[in-house]
Amino acid sequence: MELDQIIEKARRKGRGAGFNPANRFDRLETRFEPDGWDREDDLPPLRTVVTDERPRRVITRNASPDLSFDRSINPYRGCEHGCIYCFARPSHAYLGLSPGLDFETRLIARPDAPAVLRKELSRRGYDVQPMAIGTNTDPYQPVEKDRQIMRGLLQVLRNFRHPVGIVTKGTLIERDIDLIADLAGQGLAKVGISVTTLDSGLARAMEPRVPSPARRLKTIERLAAAGIPVRLMASPIVPGLTDHEIERIVKAGADAGAIGASMIALRLPLEVAPLFRTWLEEHVPLRAARVMARVREMHGGEDYSAEWGTRLTGTGIYADLLQQRFARAVRAAGLSHRMPALRTDLFRVPPRPGDQLSLF
């Protein structure tokens, strides 16, 4: 990464990435020499642009042995939260966009997703298993406030009595407590709230458009009060930067009403690695070398290893110590590593207008 790729701070205020790395699928890279007319201090701040996509299918299947679900939905592509460490950033390259600033400023919304989901769930022979939402990009990122695509998906899932697990950092989920609590009351919903640090300043730098850690803990409290099973997600643990907070994060989640907890070690696939290294040098330069040394220690000397079974945990003595510390913290807080299983036996396709109803 060359220094002239970094965008001026004033233009990217409230953004996580410092630049747009080249799309790895592009064979040619075009570079322009500045002529003095387009000065960065004359350019406007980077604004969020949302484009609509009309999908034919919204349920994505996976067979990963590392994941606890086999299907998921993404209401949006890209994420305005701008978390610098987000493992989903490389997926933006498939759209011909950059995993850097494009990922958090050029979003794709899927307004027809609820209607398409209704069709997919109505197909004969559909096999019911819990649906995961929020596993790639956050369904409760700021754009959801106006678009309400996630709320539409929840309404469909409730009508079909379909189990769902939601992962988010967004406090906007409180808007949908009515729907989620209804599902949870039938054993059909659970939620994971991600808290990476309790340091509000560090959180603002790493996750620029995410609600503060204290506000996310309040969301756990409100969800739990509504009878919704909540899991605290200490993810990712950043070695040399947030690892000293493990015990305090877990306790804070338990105090707020979480019943379970999980963690994932930092992973830096593809373009995420140079983005994160640049962020370290800009925000915590005195810790940058130490953080990356620990990261490489956990991934066989590389910035990242995609090996099944270890990509979420890392390997080696340091990775093992993190897991042991986390397990001890979970036990001390009285939490569980596993959340209650969701029911799949209540699923039914609701009648459509004009359908003849059964008398029995």
Side-chain angles (χ1 to χ4, degrees):
M1 193 276 299
E2 297 186 25
L3 293 177
D4 62 1
Q5 290 181 269
I6 298 178
I7 306 297
E8 184 184 1
K9 280 187 178 181
R11 287 200 66 212
R12 54 184 169 89
K13 183 178 180 180
R15 304 298 180 179
F19 64 104
N20 261 334
N23 187 309
R24 64 186 179 278
F25 298 114
D26 287 344
R27 294 186 176 182
L28 298 177
E29 180 181 356
T30 303
R31 300 181 66 86
F32 298 94
E33 290 297 327
D35 58 9
W37 289 100
D38 295 325
R39 299 187 316 177
E40 281 217 336
D41 54 1
D42 293 332
L43 297 175
L46 295 170
R47 304 296 185 189
T48 301
V49 177
V50 184
T51 304
D52 286 354
E53 175 187 77
R54 308 292 175 183
R56 291 181 295 175
R57 296 188 300 272
V58 294
I59 300 177
T60 300
R61 307 279 180 157
N62 82 82
S64 170
D66 289 333
L67 302 179
S68 60
F69 57 89
D70 68 354
R71 66 200 68 185
S72 61
I73 301 175
N74 292 297
Y76 304 98
R77 300 180 189 270
C79 188
E80 197 174 4
H81 279 162
C83 303
I84 187 59
Y85 52 72
C86 182
F87 67 87
R89 284 180 176 273
S91 64
H92 233 44
Y94 294 113
L95 305 176
L97 300 171
S98 172
L101 285 163
D102 282 353
F103 178 77
E104 47 195 289
T105 61
R106 300 178 65 178
L107 311 180
I108 309 296
R110 312 173 87 188
D112 294 342
V116 176
L117 175 62
R118 189 178 301 112
K119 291 180 180 179
E120 291 189 77
L121 298 183
S122 298
R123 288 175 181 160
R124 184 170 297 178
Y126 175 77
D127 177 39
V128 185
Q129 289 297 327
M131 190 74 67
I133 307 182
T135 57
N136 197 55
T137 59
D138 202 313
Y140 287 108
Q141 57 182 286
V143 68
E144 168 64 16
K145 182 177 181 180
D146 295 323
R147 304 306 292 267
Q148 299 195 36
I149 300 172
M150 178 60 177
R151 184 166 179 85
L153 291 170
L154 285 174
Q155 288 169 334
V156 172
L157 293 169
R158 182 184 63 173
N159 291 342
F160 280 77
R161 297 179 187 170
H162 194 293
V164 60
I166 304 166
V167 174
T168 185
K169 292 185 179 76
T171 56
L172 184 58
I173 192 175
E174 294 173 10
R175 178 201 64 190
D176 295 339
I177 281 179
D178 58 334
L179 296 173
I180 302 170
D182 187 3
L183 285 160
Q186 304 173 68
L188 295 173
K190 57 186 176 183
V191 173
I193 300 293
S194 176
V195 180
T196 51
T197 176
L198 299 179
D199 182 331
S200 59
L202 179 58
R204 179 62 63 198
M206 284 201 305
E207 311 155 340
R209 299 202 175 193
V210 177
S212 70
R215 185 64 183 83
R216 278 176 264 171
L217 291 170
K218 189 66 177 178
T219 294
I220 292 177
E221 183 180 326
R222 290 173 175 168
L223 293 170
I228 299 168
V230 185
R231 171 172 52 120
L232 170 83
M233 302 177 66
S235 303
I237 298 294
V238 183
L241 196 60
T242 67
D243 51 350
H244 65 284
E245 297 186 74
I246 286 177
E247 290 78 9
R248 291 194 295 122
I249 292 173
V250 172
K251 185 178 185 304
D255 291 345
I259 64 171
S262 64
M263 68 158 276
I264 294 176
L266 177 69
R267 51 193 182 119
L268 303 174
L270 300 170
E271 295 92 347
V272 184
L275 286 166
F276 188 73
R277 290 196 303 268
T278 301
W279 180 90
L280 287 172
E281 293 292 347
E282 180 177 357
H283 292 275
V284 286
L286 298 180
R287 300 190 193 181
R290 178 186 176 192
V291 171
M292 290 310 302
R294 286 295 194 189
V295 168
R296 292 171 184 136
E297 180 183 340
M298 297 171 66
H299 294 285
E302 303 293 335
D303 286 349
Y304 178 63
S305 170
E307 290 292 324
W308 297 119
T310 60
R311 61 186 180 133
L312 305 182
T313 61
T315 59
I317 295 175
Y318 179 74
D320 291 343
L321 287 174
L322 283 185
Q323 295 295 327
Q324 291 171 26
R325 280 182 56 198
F326 187 79
R328 184 174 61 184
V330 169
R331 289 194 300 270
L335 300 182
S336 172
H337 287 284
R338 293 184 176 274
M339 295 289 284
L342 298 177
R343 298 183 64 176
T344 59
D345 59 316
L346 299 180
F347 178 83
R348 48 95 185 192
V349 177
R352 295 171 297 181
D355 283 354
Q356 182 174 350
L357 302 180
S358 171
L359 294 177
F360 304 99

